[in-house]
């Protein structure tokens, strides 16, 4: 049986930037689609690490015992807004399940308890998001700006930010695997 390409954008889809996108935050980005409906879409860039200090009342670096906490640039929209992407199903009334084993949401108490727990959930603190109006993401996909594949906790939490873009493409196989080897700086080619 021939492998059918993944071709439907939905919640739990990864958007993988094509090499044509070569400027800004979307260059070699991998975005987790968190919501997609006829009114529009929003997602979080999951492979752009941020180095920033947070106010102690949000996250006291002296209380971080959980080794699985990362800070990400979630996208160019509302970059002062923090969203929690994590693996905990402990607070279903506060979270949206994005795909199997991956949840979006939670409050400050959940965050502080999770980062203070050595065996707490894997967490990405995402600042900002990517958003599209009605039909915009579909047009970008049809215009060849994005490849898509199903998301998984492995891609979201277990592959380093630097290796995520080529890893997903390589795992997709075929022509995608070939694209994964394109150097970021084409002058090195």
């Amino acid at each position: 049986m021939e492998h059918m390409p993944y071709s439907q954008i939905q919640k739990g889809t990864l958007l993988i930037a094509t090499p044509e996108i070569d400027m800004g935050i979307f260059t070699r980005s991998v975005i987790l689609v968190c919501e997609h409906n006829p009114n529009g879409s929003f997602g979080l860039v999951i492979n752009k690490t941020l180095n920033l200090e947070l106010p102690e009342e949000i996250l006291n670096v002296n209380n971080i015992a959980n080794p699985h906490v990362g800070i990400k640039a979630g996208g160019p929209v509302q970059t002062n807004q923090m969203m929690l992407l994590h693996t905990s199903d402990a607070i279903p009334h506060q979270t949206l399940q994005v795909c199997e084993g991956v949840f979006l949401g939670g409050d400050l108490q959940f965050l502080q308890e999770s980062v203070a727990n050595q065996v707490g959930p894997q967490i990405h603190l995402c600042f900002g998001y990517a958003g599209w109006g009605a039909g915009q993401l579909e047009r970008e996909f049809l215009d060849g700006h994005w490849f898509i594949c199903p998301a998984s906790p492995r891609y979201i939490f277990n592959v380093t930010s630097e290796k995520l873009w080529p890893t997903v493409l390589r795992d997709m196989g075929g022509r995608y695997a070939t694209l994964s080897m394109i150097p970021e700086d084409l002058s090195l080619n």
Side-chain angles (χ1 to χ4, degrees):
M1 187 166 113
E2 184 179 328
H3 175 71
M4 295 299 292
Y6 193 75
S7 62
Q8 183 176 351
I9 300 170
Q10 58 191 9
K11 178 173 71 172
T13 298
L14 289 179
L15 302 174
I16 301 94
T18 66
E20 292 178 14
I21 299 176
D22 60 0
M23 292 181 62
I25 192 170
F26 295 121
T27 302
R28 291 185 177 231
S29 67
V30 178
I31 300 173
L32 174 64
V33 176
C34 298
E35 188 59 58
H36 179 73
N37 62 50
N39 299 318
S41 309
F42 96 90
L44 297 170
V45 178
I46 58 172
N47 68 326
K48 303 293 179 169
T49 302
L50 271 180
N51 293 314
L52 62 105
E53 290 187 29
L54 298 172
E56 276 190 25
E57 57 272 6
I58 294 176
L59 189 63
N60 184 338
V61 293
N62 297 322
N63 292 341
I64 297 178
N66 183 340
H68 306 291
V69 177
I71 301 176
K72 306 290 179 176
V77 181
Q78 294 186 359
T79 56
N80 61 340
Q81 181 179 348
M82 181 179 72
M83 290 186 239
L84 304 178
L85 193 62
H86 55 85
T87 58
S88 175
D89 62 358
I91 50 171
H93 60 287
Q94 291 183 16
T95 58
L96 166 72
Q97 183 170 355
V98 179
C99 64
E100 185 68 35
V102 178
F103 302 87
L104 177 66
D107 60 13
L108 190 56
Q109 179 181 347
F110 166 77
L111 172 62
Q112 291 173 342
E113 289 172 0
S114 297
V115 300
N117 183 349
Q118 284 185 321
V119 293
Q122 294 174 299
I123 299 177
H124 289 326
L125 284 69
C126 300
F127 286 85
Y129 66 91
W132 296 267
Q136 184 182 2
L137 182 55
E138 290 88 346
R139 283 189 303 278
E140 289 182 13
F141 173 68
L142 293 173
D143 287 344
H145 298 297
W146 303 103
F147 302 126
I148 58 177
C149 79
S152 73
R154 174 184 161 250
Y155 287 140
I156 297 166
F157 297 106
N158 298 337
V159 178
T160 65
S161 293
E162 302 78 34
K163 295 187 188 262
L164 186 57
W165 187 82
T167 298
V168 173
L169 288 173
R170 195 170 28 260
D171 290 353
M172 289 170 66
R175 70 182 181 106
Y176 305 108
T178 303
L179 290 173
S180 76
M181 295 182 277
I182 295 173
E184 196 162 343
D185 181 352
L186 291 178
S187 68
L188 299 175
N189 199 6

